[in-house]
């Protein structure tokens, strides 16, 4: 186990394409940190640089007490799980788990003990003599995780490992993965484009966009105190409503354009038009336990999350109010400047 420090990492490909810019993150020993962002945000490139599969253009990677920039992948004591599992199809699950240990020259008894220990932890003992083609997607994923864990790495790297699973199995394996990481205490860097995975798995989450770190924080802080408009709109489903606003200062005549951000659950709707702000309902999604109401407020799209199944219908005029303590404000450059009436 080890801490990982990424210090001002840059990655520029031949031809000038910049994938990562000035990425700095410190990951504590035993911490599970998720890198999340849209396609092309640089998250997988960062992970591959840590693994040694991509060269660093500039900056420093530290794993434990070592500077890892010049170390070969096999010298970094990291293990990686890919989204396509990358199991050897001609080998049984047992042989797949045993292979990296044989490559490191471990004795037969030590290899057997490690394979059995990891297989027990992942509940795959009954699968050890099957070939990958005889395993389900979830079973193959467990074997792939086992092949990484059996090496007892200092750092566990995961590149969208659940993306090939169906929604129900993804939830199950996600819970198992979180429990396994807690039990092993292995420092883990996990990459995903799925914000639900990021928010449910990460001790902290690193949000990236266009190769730059936008915010590093625990999930609750990302949601409640986004650092900028990008994080506010990326984290949350449905995302935060972003409305044009004007700050009127106490100095006469001074006005400044801003953006107001309101989470859907902070929007209040009432039938009729007896409120100063009025919207027109465009679409209603009844989910049983809650309803998402999509409306237009002076031409600006707005979504409200309301409990139960109130009888709003498309075309209806509704009064709109907000919980003032939960309104976020962003300056003209998109940076957070405060929340609430103050």
């Amino acid at each position: 186990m080890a801490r990982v420090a990424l210090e001002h990492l840059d990655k520029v490909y031949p031809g000038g394409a910049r994938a990562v810019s000035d990425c700095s993150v410190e990951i504590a020993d035993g911490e599970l940190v998720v890198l999340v962002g849209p396609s092309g945000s640089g998250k997988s490139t960062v992970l591959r640089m840590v693994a040694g599969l991509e060269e660093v253009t500039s900056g420093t990677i530290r794993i434990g007490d070592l500077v890892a920039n010049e170390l070969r992948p096999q010298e970094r004591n990291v293990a990686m799980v890919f989204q396509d599992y990358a199991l050897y199809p001609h080998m049984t699950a047992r042989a797949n788990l045993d292979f990296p240990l044989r490559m490191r020259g471990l004795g037969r008894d030590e290899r057997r003990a490690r394979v059995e220990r990891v297989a027990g932890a992942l509940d795959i003992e009954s699968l050890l003599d099957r070939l990958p083609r005889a395993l389900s997607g979830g079973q193959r994923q467990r074997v792939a995780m086992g092949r990484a864990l059996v090496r007892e790495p200092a750092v566990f790297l995961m590149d969208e490992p659940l993306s090939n699973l169906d929604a129900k199995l993804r939830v199950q394996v996600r819970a198992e993965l979180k429990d396994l990481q807690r039990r092993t205490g292995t420092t883990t860097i996990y990459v995903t484009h799925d914000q639900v995975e990021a928010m449910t798995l990460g001790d902290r989450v690193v949000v990236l966009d266009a190769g730059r770190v936008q915010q590093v924080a625990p999930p609750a802080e990302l949601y409640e105190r986004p650092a900028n408009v990008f994080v506010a709109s990326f984290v949350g489903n449905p995302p935060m409503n972003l409305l044009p606003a004007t700050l009127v200062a106490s100095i006469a005549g001074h006005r400044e354009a801003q953006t107001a951000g309101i989470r859907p659950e902070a929007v209040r709707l009432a039938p009729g038009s007896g409120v100063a702000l009025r919207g027109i309902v465009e679409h209603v999604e009844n989910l049983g336990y809650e309803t998402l109401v999509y409306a237009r407020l002076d031409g600006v799209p707005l979504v409200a999350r309301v409990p139960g199944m109130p009888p709003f219908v498309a075309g209806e005029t509704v009064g709109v109010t907000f919980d003032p303590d939960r309104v976020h404000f962003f300056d003209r450059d998109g940076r957070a400047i405060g929340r609430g009436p103050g």
Side-chain angles (χ1 to χ4, degrees):
M1 303 176 199
R3 62 183 285 274
V4 177
L6 313 180
E7 301 170 356
H8 306 290
L9 293 187
D10 288 318
K11 176 62 181 179
V12 182
Y13 289 103
R18 180 175 288 274
V20 176
S21 298
D22 195 28
C23 175
S24 294
V25 181
E26 289 213 7
I27 300 164
D29 186 6
E31 189 176 23
L32 195 164
V33 166
V34 179
L35 309 183
V36 67
S39 179
S41 61
K43 54 190 183 297
S44 290
T45 303
V46 171
L47 196 76
R48 291 175 64 84
M49 286 193 288
V50 175
L53 304 178
E54 293 274 5
E55 289 187 4
V56 175
T57 302
S58 63
T60 304
I61 297 172
R62 300 181 190 275
I63 300 176
D65 297 324
L66 297 175
V67 174
N69 292 47
E70 303 302 324
L71 297 179
R72 294 177 297 170
Q74 59 267 36
E75 296 172 327
R76 298 187 181 206
N77 196 19
V78 302
M80 192 161 180
V81 176
F82 299 90
Q83 60 183 341
D84 61 357
Y85 315 134
L87 297 175
Y88 298 110
H90 62 287
M91 293 184 180
T92 64
R94 185 190 306 276
N96 266 282
L97 267 63
D98 182 67
F99 182 77
L101 303 181
R102 283 197 293 117
M103 292 298 97
R104 293 171 65 182
L106 271 67
R108 179 178 298 179
D109 290 344
E110 173 66 12
R111 299 199 319 263
R112 181 186 299 113
R114 286 203 194 184
V115 168
E116 290 177 355
R117 184 165 62 248
V118 168
L122 294 171
D123 194 24
I124 56 173
E125 299 105 318
S126 63
L127 310 177
L128 290 177
D129 295 320
R130 297 188 195 177
L131 291 170
R133 64 173 177 267
L135 303 175
S136 69
Q139 290 168 339
R140 287 196 295 271
Q141 185 59 67
R142 287 192 185 94
V143 173
M145 290 166 57
R147 189 177 59 185
L149 282 171
V150 78
R151 293 173 50 190
E152 299 180 359
V155 181
F156 204 13
L157 307 176
M158 295 188 159
D159 190 7
E160 307 227 30
L162 309 184
S163 61
N164 290 331
L165 305 181
D166 62 51
K168 183 178 180 180
L169 189 55
R170 203 156 51 234
V171 172
Q172 176 188 336
V173 177
R174 190 165 67 219
E176 293 172 351
L177 191 155
K178 180 71 172 178
D179 179 64
L180 180 67
Q181 194 275 335
R182 282 175 177 157
R183 284 189 282 115
T184 62
T186 305
T187 306
T188 301
I189 307 175
Y190 186 106
V191 161
T192 182
H193 67 278
D194 185 335
Q195 59 159 297
V196 174
E197 278 186 18
M199 299 292 277
T200 55
L201 277 175
D203 297 321
R204 288 186 302 148
V205 178
V206 180
V207 182
L208 293 111
D209 182 45
R212 292 188 176 275
V213 173
Q214 302 296 311
Q215 188 171 0
V216 183
E221 183 176 335
L222 283 182
Y223 192 83
E224 296 293 341
R225 292 186 293 280
N228 54 41
V229 164
F230 176 81
V231 177
S233 60
F234 185 78
V235 174
N237 186 27
M240 181 180 285
N241 295 291
L242 297 172
L243 308 174
T246 301
L247 172 66
V248 180
S250 56
I251 302 174
H254 178 74
R255 293 171 175 264
E256 184 175 333
Q258 290 184 332
T259 298
I262 304 103
R263 291 285 181 197
E265 59 270 23
V267 179
R268 305 284 182 262
L269 300 181
S273 56
V275 179
L277 294 177
R278 293 187 294 275
I280 304 297
V281 176
E282 292 191 327
H283 176 60
V284 177
E285 292 183 356
N286 290 315
L287 304 178
Y289 60 96
E290 68 178 14
T291 297
L292 301 178
V293 182
Y294 296 83
R296 289 250 165 200
L297 182 66
D298 290 332
V300 179
L302 180 81
V303 59
R305 173 182 273 124
V306 294
M309 296 173 58
F312 294 112
V313 296
E316 177 182 359
T317 298
V318 291
V320 180
T321 58
F322 308 121
D323 180 345
D325 292 328
R326 300 179 70 184
V327 179
H328 301 253
F329 293 98
F330 305 90
D331 66 18
R332 65 179 63 192
D333 296 318
R335 295 171 299 203
I337 56 175
R339 191 174 103 172

